[in-house]
Amino acid sequence: MANIILLNISGDDRIGLSSDFYSVISEVDVRILDIGQSVIHDQVSQGMMLQLPEDQDVEQTKSQLKKHAKRLGLKIKIRDISAQAYEKWVGQQGAERYTLTLLTREVSAEEIARVTQVTAEQGLNIHDIVRLSGRVPLNQPISNEVKSCIEFSVQGSPKNSAAMRASFLKIASELDIDIAIQRDDAFRRNRRLVCFDMDSTLIKAEVIDELAKRAGVGDQVAQITELAMQGKLDFTESFTRRMALLEGLSETVLEDIAATLPLMEGARTLIKNLHAYGYKTAILSGGFSYFGHHLQRELGIDHVYANSLEIVNGKLTGRVIHPVVNAERKAHLLKQIAAEEGLDPQQTIAVGDGANDLLMLAEAGLGIAFRAKPLVRESAKQSMSTHGLDGILYLLGFKDQDIQRA
């Protein structure tokens, strides 16, 4: 008969505490079956599961452990675990696991309460909670500069994945937060290619609208763009109609617009860290290659695929050189680049805001609708609006201490 005990110790944290306590345990003939520890402020909490030899006096061992814990200034609780309960627990290690990420400006009890209520309703058990964002000084006001992120490790199979996602979207909208849930598998920990839409994703502008303003047809083009982004107009059709309005525009305006393109919040930090940690990056855009290559030079993007403007005698003809980068081509290019880099499609991430990004987002291992229209948020695997692009690093499991700020 196996003698198994579960220890929970807590107290004031200090350097050498674990060494002191395990020196005590090493004097007792035990087998460590499991172990875990967390520290909040200066308080430590540690749990361990121990197996004692069958011929060992369990009560005497418990008394010995309590005595030494008291000497070290620790509180200790000891509970007997049956062999049946232990084997049942071991059998659960093959259960599905998910990583749930809460992104907000300042974490509140209401946010955690509502998120965890959904996990409970779905039959998911929370195993670990980790703060990925840094500590916030008490006198720091809440602003767009403040970023908070909590990561939950949960176990089990959702009763209804669609209903769970709908609940998270509703909470996110009501509380102005972002909630992402990903299957915690080897692919989640080994993403290696990130593909970006360009306009209104990597930059805070729609370049075709900027060109239209220079051509004096800004309002007409903006209306068509909006319909396309909402999914009310086929991208290829809308693109053809918008391009036709630019006929005769001088190519000299391209350089002027490129020089003033505003990068999206967090873009530099995200790209800098992706490259630092060995990720490949790509722009897959229904916009224009002239501006994509400008960003490539500025940010060090690895791959650029976008539409090439047709220019004759220094003037835009109102056409692009085929093939047009539409929704289908974006999805194809994501798979193509992944193959070229020797990656499984599940190792890819796609980020976009428009309806023409949905196929690409669906094809990627992690598809993120970034500050997107409602249709896109509801259709994509994940959505994010609260933080800048650098918030994506949290979805990859980065902690603030790992992130190099640009």
Side-chain angles (χ1 to χ4, degrees):
M1 176 180 175
N3 295 317
I4 303 172
I5 57 175
L6 177 63
L7 272 64
N8 293 105
I9 61 173
S10 61
D12 295 334
D13 189 31
R14 60 176 173 81
I15 294 175
L17 181 61
S18 293
S19 174
D20 290 344
F21 192 74
Y22 282 97
S23 294
V24 171
I25 293 180
S26 68
E27 297 174 3
V28 182
D29 186 11
V30 298
R31 177 187 177 195
I32 297 177
L33 300 176
D34 197 19
I35 185 171
Q37 175 176 300
S38 64
V39 177
I40 296 181
H41 192 46
D42 60 354
Q43 294 297 298
V44 63
S45 178
Q46 187 173 124
M48 66 197 77
M49 192 175 290
L50 308 178
Q51 181 183 15
L52 283 58
E54 292 185 8
D55 59 353
Q56 189 164 316
D57 188 326
V58 177
E59 294 306 318
Q60 182 179 349
T61 300
K62 290 180 182 178
S63 177
Q64 186 178 351
L65 291 171
K66 290 177 181 178
K67 176 182 175 181
H68 287 296
K70 183 177 180 180
R71 178 176 60 82
L72 294 171
L74 297 171
K75 296 179 181 179
I76 186 169
K77 292 183 179 180
I78 303 178
R79 182 160 63 94
D80 294 319
I81 304 295
S82 69
Q84 294 80 2
Y86 176 76
E87 292 300 337
K88 180 181 179 181
W89 174 72
V90 170
Q92 294 174 346
Q93 63 188 346
E96 291 183 344
R97 292 181 179 273
Y98 293 85
T99 296
L100 190 155
T101 311
L102 167 64
L103 300 98
T104 181
R105 292 299 176 186
E106 181 182 29
V107 179
S108 72
E110 180 185 8
E111 292 166 358
I112 294 179
R114 294 192 62 182
V115 168
T116 54
Q117 180 183 1
V118 174
T119 60
E121 291 171 349
Q122 289 294 325
L124 299 175
N125 186 42
I126 298 172
H127 275 223
D128 297 292
I129 303 176
V130 178
R131 174 177 50 82
L132 299 184
S133 52
R135 298 165 184 163
V136 180
L138 291 176
N139 60 355
Q140 182 171 342
I142 302 304
S143 69
N144 288 342
E145 299 302 316
V146 177
K147 296 178 174 66
S148 296
C149 180
I150 303 295
E151 182 182 271
F152 302 81
S153 295
V154 299
Q155 186 177 30
S157 300
K159 295 177 181 177
N160 187 321
S161 296
M164 177 177 68
R165 189 174 181 284
S167 295
F168 284 147
L169 280 172
K170 183 174 184 290
I171 294 170
S173 176
E174 291 175 353
L175 300 184
D176 193 22
I177 60 177
D178 292 317
I179 306 166
I181 186 163
Q182 308 172 60
R183 188 182 294 275
D184 186 14
D185 55 19
F187 288 125
R188 188 193 77 83
R189 297 184 291 275
N190 288 281
R191 312 285 190 203
R192 283 296 175 265
L193 169 65
V194 187
C195 298
F196 298 93
D197 175 43
M198 181 171 64
D199 297 33
S200 295
T201 299
L202 206 51
I203 58 174
K204 292 189 288 188
E206 290 286 335
V207 172
I208 197 167
D209 290 348
E210 298 304 313
L211 291 170
K213 291 175 186 176
R214 301 296 183 96
V217 292
D219 290 343
Q220 295 167 261
V221 167
Q223 290 173 7
I224 300 172
T225 299
E226 182 65 18
L227 290 174
M229 291 298 99
Q230 292 179 5
K232 297 179 180 179
L233 191 62
D234 173 74
F235 174 79
T236 301
E237 178 188 350
S238 71
F239 186 66
T240 301
R241 286 169 54 182
R242 288 178 289 172
M243 282 302 305
L245 294 170
L246 301 180
E247 182 179 0
L249 182 64
S250 172
E251 68 174 328
T252 58
V253 304
L254 302 183
E255 184 176 353
D256 292 340
I257 292 175
T260 59
L261 286 178
L263 287 175
M264 186 61 71
E265 174 194 352
R268 288 189 188 279
T269 292
L270 173 60
I271 300 298
K272 177 180 180 178
N273 283 273
L274 290 176
H275 288 156
Y277 288 101
Y279 290 75
K280 295 293 184 178
T281 54
I283 290 175
L284 306 182
S285 174
F288 306 112
S289 58
Y290 181 95
F291 303 98
H293 288 302
H294 171 81
L295 291 174
Q296 182 178 39
R297 292 188 294 271
E298 184 173 354
L299 299 174
I301 303 293
D302 297 295
H303 304 272
V304 173
Y305 289 91
N307 295 304
S308 298
L309 291 163
E310 184 181 75
I311 299 172
V312 176
N313 297 324
K315 302 285 186 182
L316 275 63
T317 65
R319 297 184 296 272
V320 295
I321 299 171
H322 284 262
V324 172
V325 179
N326 56 14
E328 291 75 14
R329 183 150 174 77
K330 284 188 177 189
H332 171 77
L333 287 168
L334 180 142
K335 292 187 290 184
Q336 175 184 306
I337 298 171
E340 291 172 357
E341 297 289 352
L343 302 174
D344 187 285
Q346 286 298 307
Q347 291 179 273
T348 65
I349 300 169
V351 188
D353 73 300
N356 66 318
D357 294 311
L358 281 173
L359 292 179
M360 175 177 73
L361 299 184
E363 196 67 47
L366 174 61
I368 304 170
F370 180 77
R371 298 186 180 179
K373 301 294 188 296
L375 170 68
V376 183
R377 287 201 306 272
E378 293 165 9
S379 303
K381 297 173 186 175
Q382 312 293 346
S383 64
M384 192 171 75
S385 301
T386 304
H387 290 195
L389 282 173
D390 53 341
I392 291 172
L393 293 169
Y394 291 137
L395 300 190
L396 301 180
F398 282 71
K399 293 185 176 181
D400 271 359
Q401 63 198 48
D402 304 318
I403 299 173
Q404 306 170 40
R405 295 295 169 185

Coordinates of all heavy atoms in Angstrom, one line a residue, residues 300-380:
G300 N 12.6 45.9 -41.2 CA 13.4 44.7 -41.4 C 12.5 43.5 -41.7 O 12.8 42.4 -41.4
I301 N 11.3 43.7 -42.3 CA 10.4 42.7 -42.6 C 11.0 41.7 -43.6 O 11.7 42.1 -44.6 CB 9.1 43.2 -43.2 CG1 8.4 44.2 -42.3 CG2 8.1 42.1 -43.6 CD1 7.9 43.6 -41.0
D302 N 10.8 40.4 -43.4 CA 11.5 39.4 -44.3 C 10.8 39.2 -45.6 O 11.5 39.0 -46.6 CB 11.5 38.0 -43.5 CG 12.3 38.1 -42.2 OD1 13.5 38.3 -42.3 OD2 11.7 38.0 -41.2
H303 N 9.5 39.2 -45.7 CA 8.8 39.0 -47.0 C 7.7 40.0 -47.2 O 7.1 40.4 -46.2 CB 8.1 37.6 -47.0 CG 9.0 36.4 -46.7 ND1 9.7 35.8 -47.6 CD2 9.3 35.8 -45.5 CE1 10.4 34.8 -47.1 NE2 10.2 34.8 -45.8
V304 N 7.6 40.5 -48.4 CA 6.5 41.4 -48.8 C 5.8 41.0 -50.0 O 6.4 40.7 -51.1 CB 7.1 42.8 -49.0 CG1 6.0 43.8 -49.5 CG2 7.7 43.4 -47.7
Y305 N 4.5 40.8 -49.9 CA 3.7 40.6 -51.1 C 2.5 41.6 -51.0 O 1.7 41.6 -50.1 CB 3.1 39.1 -51.0 CG 4.2 38.1 -51.3 CD1 4.9 37.5 -50.3 CD2 4.4 37.7 -52.6 CE1 5.9 36.6 -50.5 CE2 5.4 36.7 -52.9 CZ 6.1 36.2 -51.8 OH 7.1 35.2 -52.0
A306 N 2.4 42.4 -52.1 CA 1.3 43.4 -52.2 C 1.1 43.7 -53.6 O 1.8 43.1 -54.5 CB 1.7 44.6 -51.4
N307 N 0.2 44.5 -53.9 CA -0.1 44.9 -55.3 C 0.8 45.9 -55.9 O 1.1 46.9 -55.2 CB -1.6 45.4 -55.4 CG -2.6 44.3 -55.0 OD1 -2.6 43.3 -55.6 ND2 -3.4 44.6 -54.0
S308 N 1.3 45.7 -57.1 CA 2.2 46.6 -57.8 C 1.4 47.6 -58.7 O 0.6 47.2 -59.5 CB 3.2 45.9 -58.7 OG 4.0 45.0 -57.9
L309 N 1.5 48.9 -58.4 CA 0.8 49.9 -59.2 C 1.4 49.9 -60.6 O 2.6 49.9 -60.8 CB 1.0 51.3 -58.5 CG 0.3 51.5 -57.2 CD1 0.9 52.7 -56.4 CD2 -1.2 51.7 -57.4
E310 N 0.5 50.0 -61.5 CA 0.9 50.2 -62.9 C 1.1 51.7 -63.2 O 0.2 52.5 -63.0 CB -0.2 49.7 -63.9 CG 0.3 49.7 -65.4 CD -0.8 49.2 -66.3 OE1 -1.8 49.9 -66.5 OE2 -0.6 48.1 -66.8
I311 N 2.3 52.1 -63.6 CA 2.7 53.5 -63.9 C 3.2 53.6 -65.3 O 4.1 52.9 -65.7 CB 3.7 53.9 -62.8 CG1 3.2 53.8 -61.4 CG2 4.1 55.4 -63.1 CD1 4.2 54.1 -60.3
V312 N 2.6 54.6 -66.0 CA 3.0 54.8 -67.4 C 3.3 56.3 -67.5 O 2.5 57.2 -67.1 CB 2.0 54.4 -68.4 CG1 2.4 54.8 -69.8 CG2 1.7 52.9 -68.3
N313 N 4.5 56.7 -68.0 CA 4.9 58.1 -68.1 C 4.7 58.9 -66.8 O 4.2 60.0 -66.9 CB 4.1 58.7 -69.3 CG 4.4 58.1 -70.6 OD1 5.5 57.7 -70.9 ND2 3.3 58.0 -71.5
G314 N 5.1 58.3 -65.7 CA 5.0 59.0 -64.4 C 3.6 59.1 -63.9 O 3.4 59.9 -62.9
K315 N 2.6 58.5 -64.5 CA 1.2 58.6 -64.0 C 0.7 57.2 -63.6 O 0.9 56.3 -64.3 CB 0.3 59.3 -65.0 CG 0.8 60.6 -65.5 CD 0.5 61.7 -64.5 CE 0.9 63.1 -65.0 NZ 0.7 64.2 -64.0
L316 N -0.2 57.2 -62.6 CA -0.9 55.9 -62.3 C -1.9 55.7 -63.3 O -2.7 56.7 -63.7 CB -1.6 56.0 -60.9 CG -0.7 55.7 -59.7 CD1 0.5 56.6 -59.5 CD2 -1.5 55.6 -58.4
T317 N -2.1 54.5 -63.8 CA -3.0 54.2 -64.9 C -4.4 53.8 -64.3 O -5.4 53.7 -65.0 CB -2.6 53.0 -65.7 OG1 -2.5 51.8 -64.9 CG2 -1.2 53.2 -66.3
G318 N -4.4 53.6 -63.0 CA -5.7 53.2 -62.3 C -5.8 51.7 -62.3 O -6.9 51.1 -62.1
R319 N -4.7 51.0 -62.6 CA -4.7 49.5 -62.6 C -3.5 49.1 -61.8 O -2.5 49.8 -61.6 CB -4.6 49.0 -64.0 CG -5.8 49.3 -64.9 CD -5.7 48.6 -66.3 NE -4.6 49.1 -67.0 CZ -4.6 50.2 -67.8 NH1 -5.8 50.9 -67.9 NH2 -3.6 50.6 -68.5
V320 N -3.5 47.8 -61.4 CA -2.3 47.1 -60.8 C -1.9 46.0 -61.7 O -2.6 45.5 -62.5 CB -2.7 46.6 -59.4 CG1 -3.0 47.8 -58.5 CG2 -3.8 45.6 -59.4
I321 N -0.7 45.6 -61.5 CA -0.1 44.5 -62.2 C -0.5 43.2 -61.6 O -0.4 43.0 -60.4 CB 1.4 44.6 -62.3 CG1 1.9 45.9 -63.0 CG2 2.0 43.3 -63.0 CD1 3.3 46.2 -62.9
H322 N -1.1 42.3 -62.3 CA -1.6 41.0 -61.8 C -0.5 40.1 -61.4 O 0.6 40.2 -61.9 CB -2.6 40.4 -62.8 CG -3.9 41.1 -62.9 ND1 -5.0 40.6 -62.2 CD2 -4.3 42.2 -63.5 CE1 -6.0 41.4 -62.4 NE2 -5.6 42.4 -63.2
P323 N -0.7 39.1 -60.4 CA -2.0 38.8 -59.8 C -2.4 39.8 -58.6 O -1.4 40.3 -58.0 CB -1.8 37.4 -59.2 CG -0.4 37.4 -58.9 CD 0.3 38.2 -60.0
V324 N -3.6 40.1 -58.4 CA -4.1 40.9 -57.4 C -4.0 40.1 -56.0 O -4.3 39.0 -56.0 CB -5.5 41.4 -57.6 CG1 -6.1 42.1 -56.4 CG2 -5.6 42.3 -58.8
V325 N -3.5 40.8 -55.0 CA -3.4 40.2 -53.7 C -4.7 40.3 -53.0 O -5.0 41.4 -52.4 CB -2.2 40.7 -52.8 CG1 -2.2 40.1 -51.5 CG2 -0.9 40.6 -53.5
N326 N -5.6 39.3 -53.2 CA -6.9 39.4 -52.5 C -7.0 38.4 -51.4 O -5.9 37.8 -51.0 CB -8.0 39.1 -53.6 CG -7.8 37.8 -54.3 OD1 -7.0 36.9 -53.9 ND2 -8.5 37.6 -55.4
A327 N -8.1 38.1 -50.9 CA -8.2 37.2 -49.7 C -7.7 35.8 -50.0 O -6.9 35.3 -49.2 CB -9.7 37.1 -49.3
E328 N -8.0 35.2 -51.2 CA -7.5 33.9 -51.5 C -6.0 33.9 -51.6 O -5.4 32.9 -51.2 CB -8.2 33.4 -52.8 CG -9.7 33.1 -52.7 CD -10.5 34.4 -52.7 OE1 -10.0 35.5 -53.0 OE2 -11.7 34.3 -52.3
R329 N -5.5 34.9 -52.2 CA -4.0 34.9 -52.4 C -3.3 35.1 -51.1 O -2.2 34.6 -50.9 CB -3.6 36.0 -53.4 CG -2.1 36.1 -53.7 CD -1.8 36.5 -55.1 NE -0.4 36.7 -55.3 CZ 0.5 35.7 -55.5 NH1 0.0 34.4 -55.6 NH2 1.8 35.9 -55.7
K330 N -3.8 35.9 -50.2 CA -3.2 36.1 -48.9 C -3.1 34.7 -48.2 O -2.0 34.4 -47.6 CB -4.0 37.0 -48.0 CG -3.9 38.5 -48.4 CD -4.6 39.3 -47.3 CE -4.4 40.8 -47.6 NZ -4.9 41.7 -46.5
A331 N -4.2 33.9 -48.2 CA -4.2 32.6 -47.6 C -3.1 31.7 -48.2 O -2.4 31.0 -47.6 CB -5.5 32.0 -47.6
H332 N -3.1 31.8 -49.6 CA -2.1 30.9 -50.3 C -0.7 31.3 -50.0 O 0.2 30.5 -49.8 CB -2.4 31.1 -51.8 CG -1.3 30.5 -52.7 ND1 -1.2 29.1 -52.9 CD2 -0.3 31.0 -53.4 CE1 -0.2 28.9 -53.7 NE2 0.4 30.0 -54.0
L333 N -0.4 32.6 -49.9 CA 0.9 33.1 -49.7 C 1.4 32.7 -48.3 O 2.6 32.4 -48.1 CB 1.0 34.7 -49.8 CG 0.9 35.2 -51.3 CD1 0.7 36.7 -51.3 CD2 2.2 34.8 -52.0
L334 N 0.5 32.8 -47.3 CA 0.8 32.3 -46.0 C 1.4 30.9 -46.0 O 2.4 30.6 -45.4 CB -0.4 32.5 -45.0 CG -0.1 32.1 -43.6 CD1 -0.8 33.0 -42.6 CD2 -0.5 30.6 -43.3
K335 N 0.6 30.0 -46.7 CA 1.1 28.6 -46.7 C 2.3 28.5 -47.5 O 3.2 27.7 -47.2 CB 0.0 27.8 -47.4 CG -1.3 27.6 -46.5 CD -2.3 26.7 -47.1 CE -2.9 27.2 -48.3 NZ -4.0 26.3 -48.8
Q336 N 2.5 29.3 -48.6 CA 3.7 29.2 -49.4 C 4.9 29.6 -48.6 O 6.0 29.0 -48.7 CB 3.5 30.2 -50.6 CG 4.7 30.3 -51.5 CD 4.5 31.3 -52.6 OE1 3.5 31.2 -53.4 NE2 5.4 32.2 -52.8
I337 N 4.8 30.8 -47.9 CA 6.0 31.2 -47.2 C 6.3 30.2 -46.0 O 7.5 29.9 -45.8 CB 5.7 32.6 -46.6 CG1 5.5 33.6 -47.7 CG2 6.9 33.1 -45.7 CD1 5.0 35.0 -47.2
A338 N 5.3 29.7 -45.4 CA 5.6 28.7 -44.4 C 6.3 27.5 -44.9 O 7.3 27.0 -44.3 CB 4.2 28.2 -43.8
A339 N 5.9 27.0 -46.1 CA 6.6 25.9 -46.8 C 8.1 26.3 -47.1 O 9.0 25.5 -46.9 CB 5.9 25.5 -48.0
E340 N 8.3 27.5 -47.6 CA 9.6 28.0 -47.9 C 10.5 28.0 -46.7 O 11.7 27.8 -46.8 CB 9.6 29.4 -48.6 CG 8.9 29.4 -50.0 CD 8.7 30.8 -50.5 OE1 9.0 31.8 -49.7 OE2 8.3 31.0 -51.6
E341 N 9.9 28.3 -45.5 CA 10.7 28.4 -44.3 C 10.8 27.1 -43.6 O 11.3 27.0 -42.5 CB 10.0 29.5 -43.4 CG 10.0 30.9 -43.9 CD 11.4 31.5 -43.9 OE1 12.4 30.9 -43.4 OE2 11.6 32.6 -44.5
G342 N 10.2 26.1 -44.1 CA 10.2 24.7 -43.5 C 9.3 24.6 -42.3 O 9.6 23.9 -41.4
L343 N 8.2 25.3 -42.3 CA 7.3 25.4 -41.2 C 5.9 24.7 -41.4 O 5.5 24.7 -42.6 CB 7.0 26.8 -40.8 CG 8.2 27.7 -40.4 CD1 7.8 29.1 -40.2 CD2 8.9 27.1 -39.2
D344 N 5.3 24.2 -40.4 CA 4.0 23.7 -40.5 C 3.1 24.9 -40.4 O 3.3 25.9 -39.7 CB 3.7 22.8 -39.3 CG 2.3 22.1 -39.4 OD1 1.3 22.8 -39.1 OD2 2.3 20.9 -39.7
P345 N 1.9 24.9 -41.2 CA 1.0 26.1 -41.1 C 0.6 26.4 -39.7 O 0.3 27.5 -39.4 CB -0.2 25.6 -42.0 CG 0.4 24.7 -43.0 CD 1.5 23.9 -42.2
Q346 N 0.6 25.4 -38.8 CA 0.2 25.7 -37.4 C 1.2 26.5 -36.7 O 0.9 27.0 -35.6 CB 0.0 24.3 -36.7 CG -1.3 23.6 -37.0 CD -2.5 24.5 -36.7 OE1 -2.7 24.9 -35.6 NE2 -3.4 24.7 -37.7
Q347 N 2.4 26.6 -37.3 CA 3.4 27.5 -36.6 C 3.3 28.9 -37.1 O 4.2 29.7 -36.8 CB 4.8 26.9 -37.0 CG 5.1 25.6 -36.3 CD 6.5 25.1 -36.7 OE1 6.7 24.4 -37.7 NE2 7.5 25.4 -35.9
T348 N 2.3 29.3 -37.8 CA 2.1 30.6 -38.3 C 1.1 31.4 -37.5 O 0.2 30.9 -36.9 CB 1.7 30.6 -39.8 OG1 0.4 30.0 -39.9 CG2 2.6 29.8 -40.7
I349 N 1.3 32.8 -37.6 CA 0.4 33.7 -37.0 C 0.0 34.7 -38.1 O 0.8 35.1 -38.9 CB 1.1 34.5 -35.9 CG1 1.5 33.5 -34.8 CG2 0.1 35.6 -35.3 CD1 2.4 34.2 -33.7
A350 N -1.3 35.0 -38.2 CA -1.7 36.0 -39.1 C -2.5 37.1 -38.4 O -3.2 36.9 -37.4 CB -2.6 35.4 -40.2
V351 N -2.2 38.4 -38.8 CA -2.8 39.5 -38.1 C -3.4 40.4 -39.2 O -2.8 40.9 -40.1 CB -1.8 40.3 -37.3 CG1 -2.4 41.4 -36.5 CG2 -0.9 39.4 -36.5
G352 N -4.7 40.8 -39.0 CA -5.4 41.6 -40.0 C -6.6 42.2 -39.4 O -7.1 41.8 -38.4
D353 N -7.2 43.2 -40.1 CA -8.4 43.9 -39.6 C -9.6 43.8 -40.5 O -10.7 44.2 -40.1 CB -8.0 45.4 -39.4 CG -7.9 46.1 -40.7 OD1 -7.1 45.8 -41.5 OD2 -8.7 47.1 -41.0
G354 N -9.4 43.4 -41.8 CA -10.5 43.5 -42.7 C -11.1 42.1 -43.1 O -10.5 41.1 -42.9
A355 N -12.3 42.2 -43.8 CA -12.9 41.0 -44.3 C -12.0 40.2 -45.2 O -12.1 39.0 -45.3 CB -14.2 41.3 -44.9
N356 N -11.2 40.9 -46.0 CA -10.3 40.2 -46.9 C -9.1 39.5 -46.2 O -8.3 38.9 -46.9 CB -9.8 41.2 -48.0 CG -8.9 42.2 -47.4 OD1 -9.1 42.8 -46.4 ND2 -7.8 42.5 -48.1
D357 N -9.1 39.6 -44.9 CA -8.0 38.9 -44.1 C -8.5 37.6 -43.5 O -7.8 36.8 -43.0 CB -7.5 39.8 -43.0 CG -6.8 41.0 -43.5 OD1 -5.9 40.9 -44.3 OD2 -7.1 42.1 -43.0
L358 N -9.8 37.4 -43.6 CA -10.4 36.2 -42.9 C -9.9 34.9 -43.3 O -9.6 34.0 -42.5 CB -12.0 36.3 -43.0 CG -12.7 37.3 -42.1 CD1 -14.1 37.3 -42.4 CD2 -12.4 36.9 -40.6
L359 N -9.7 34.7 -44.6 CA -9.2 33.4 -45.0 C -7.7 33.2 -44.5 O -7.4 32.1 -44.1 CB -9.2 33.3 -46.6 CG -10.6 33.3 -47.2 CD1 -10.4 33.2 -48.8 CD2 -11.3 32.0 -46.7
M360 N -6.9 34.3 -44.5 CA -5.6 34.2 -44.0 C -5.6 33.9 -42.5 O -4.8 33.1 -42.0 CB -4.8 35.5 -44.3 CG -3.5 35.6 -43.7 SD -2.6 37.1 -44.1 CE -3.5 38.3 -43.1
L361 N -6.5 34.5 -41.8 CA -6.6 34.3 -40.3 C -7.0 32.9 -40.0 O -6.6 32.3 -39.0 CB -7.6 35.3 -39.7 CG -7.3 36.8 -39.8 CD1 -8.3 37.6 -39.1 CD2 -5.9 37.2 -39.4
A362 N -7.9 32.4 -40.9 CA -8.4 31.0 -40.6 C -7.3 30.0 -41.0 O -7.2 28.9 -40.3 CB -9.6 30.7 -41.5
E363 N -6.4 30.3 -41.9 CA -5.4 29.4 -42.4 C -4.3 29.3 -41.3 O -3.6 28.2 -41.2 CB -4.8 29.8 -43.7 CG -4.0 28.7 -44.4 CD -4.9 27.6 -44.9 OE1 -5.9 27.8 -45.4 OE2 -4.4 26.4 -44.6
A364 N -4.0 30.4 -40.6 CA -2.9 30.4 -39.7 C -3.2 29.6 -38.4 O -4.3 29.4 -38.0 CB -2.6 31.9 -39.3
G365 N -2.1 29.2 -37.8 CA -2.2 28.5 -36.5 C -2.9 29.4 -35.4 O -3.6 29.0 -34.6
L366 N -2.5 30.7 -35.5 CA -3.1 31.7 -34.6 C -3.5 32.9 -35.5 O -2.7 33.6 -36.0 CB -2.1 32.1 -33.6 CG -2.5 33.3 -32.7 CD1 -3.7 33.0 -31.8 CD2 -1.3 33.7 -31.7
G367 N -4.8 33.1 -35.6 CA -5.3 34.2 -36.4 C -5.9 35.2 -35.5 O -6.7 35.0 -34.7
I368 N -5.4 36.5 -35.7 CA -5.7 37.6 -34.8 C -6.4 38.7 -35.5 O -5.8 39.3 -36.4 CB -4.5 38.1 -34.0 CG1 -3.8 37.0 -33.3 CG2 -4.9 39.2 -33.1 CD1 -2.4 37.4 -32.7
A369 N -7.6 39.0 -35.2 CA -8.3 40.2 -35.8 C -7.9 41.4 -34.9 O -8.3 41.5 -33.8 CB -9.8 39.9 -35.8
F370 N -7.2 42.3 -35.5 CA -6.6 43.4 -34.8 C -7.4 44.7 -35.0 O -7.5 45.1 -36.2 CB -5.1 43.6 -35.1 CG -4.5 44.7 -34.4 CD1 -4.1 44.6 -33.0 CD2 -4.3 45.9 -35.0 CE1 -3.5 45.6 -32.4 CE2 -3.7 47.0 -34.3 CZ -3.3 46.8 -33.0
R371 N -8.0 45.2 -34.0 CA -8.8 46.4 -34.0 C -9.7 46.4 -35.3 O -9.8 47.3 -36.1 CB -7.9 47.7 -34.1 CG -7.1 47.8 -32.8 CD -6.3 49.1 -32.7 NE -5.5 49.1 -31.5 CZ -4.7 50.1 -31.1 NH1 -4.5 51.1 -31.9 NH2 -4.0 50.1 -30.0
A372 N -10.4 45.2 -35.4 CA -11.1 44.9 -36.6 C -12.6 45.3 -36.5 O -13.1 45.6 -35.4 CB -11.0 43.4 -36.9
K373 N -13.3 45.2 -37.7 CA -14.7 45.4 -37.7 C -15.4 44.3 -37.0 O -14.9 43.2 -36.9 CB -15.1 45.5 -39.2 CG -14.5 46.6 -40.0 CD -14.9 48.0 -39.5 CE -14.4 49.1 -40.4 NZ -12.9 49.2 -40.4
P374 N -16.7 44.5 -36.6 CA -17.4 43.4 -35.8 C -17.4 42.1 -36.6 O -17.3 41.0 -36.0 CB -18.8 44.0 -35.7 CG -18.5 45.5 -35.6 CD -17.4 45.7 -36.6
L375 N -17.7 42.1 -37.9 CA -17.8 40.9 -38.6 C -16.5 40.1 -38.5 O -16.5 38.9 -38.4 CB -18.1 41.2 -40.1 CG -17.9 40.0 -41.1 CD1 -19.0 39.0 -40.8 CD2 -18.0 40.5 -42.5
V376 N -15.4 40.8 -38.6 CA -14.1 40.1 -38.6 C -13.8 39.6 -37.2 O -13.3 38.5 -37.0 CB -12.9 41.1 -39.1 CG1 -11.6 40.4 -39.1 CG2 -13.3 41.6 -40.4
R377 N -14.1 40.4 -36.1 CA -13.8 40.0 -34.7 C -14.6 38.7 -34.4 O -14.1 37.8 -33.8 CB -14.3 41.1 -33.8 CG -13.3 42.2 -33.7 CD -13.5 43.0 -32.4 NE -14.9 43.4 -32.2 CZ -15.4 44.5 -32.6 NH1 -14.7 45.4 -33.3 NH2 -16.7 44.8 -32.3
E378 N -15.9 38.6 -34.9 CA -16.7 37.5 -34.6 C -16.3 36.2 -35.4 O -16.5 35.1 -34.9 CB -18.2 37.8 -35.0 CG -18.8 38.9 -34.1 CD -20.0 39.5 -34.6 OE1 -20.5 38.9 -35.6 OE2 -20.5 40.5 -34.1
S379 N -15.6 36.4 -36.5 CA -15.3 35.3 -37.4 C -13.9 34.8 -37.1 O -13.6 33.6 -37.3 CB -15.4 35.7 -38.8 OG -16.7 36.1 -39.2
A380 N -13.0 35.6 -36.6 CA -11.6 35.2 -36.4 C -11.4 34.3 -35.2 O -12.3 34.4 -34.3 CB -10.7 36.4 -36.3

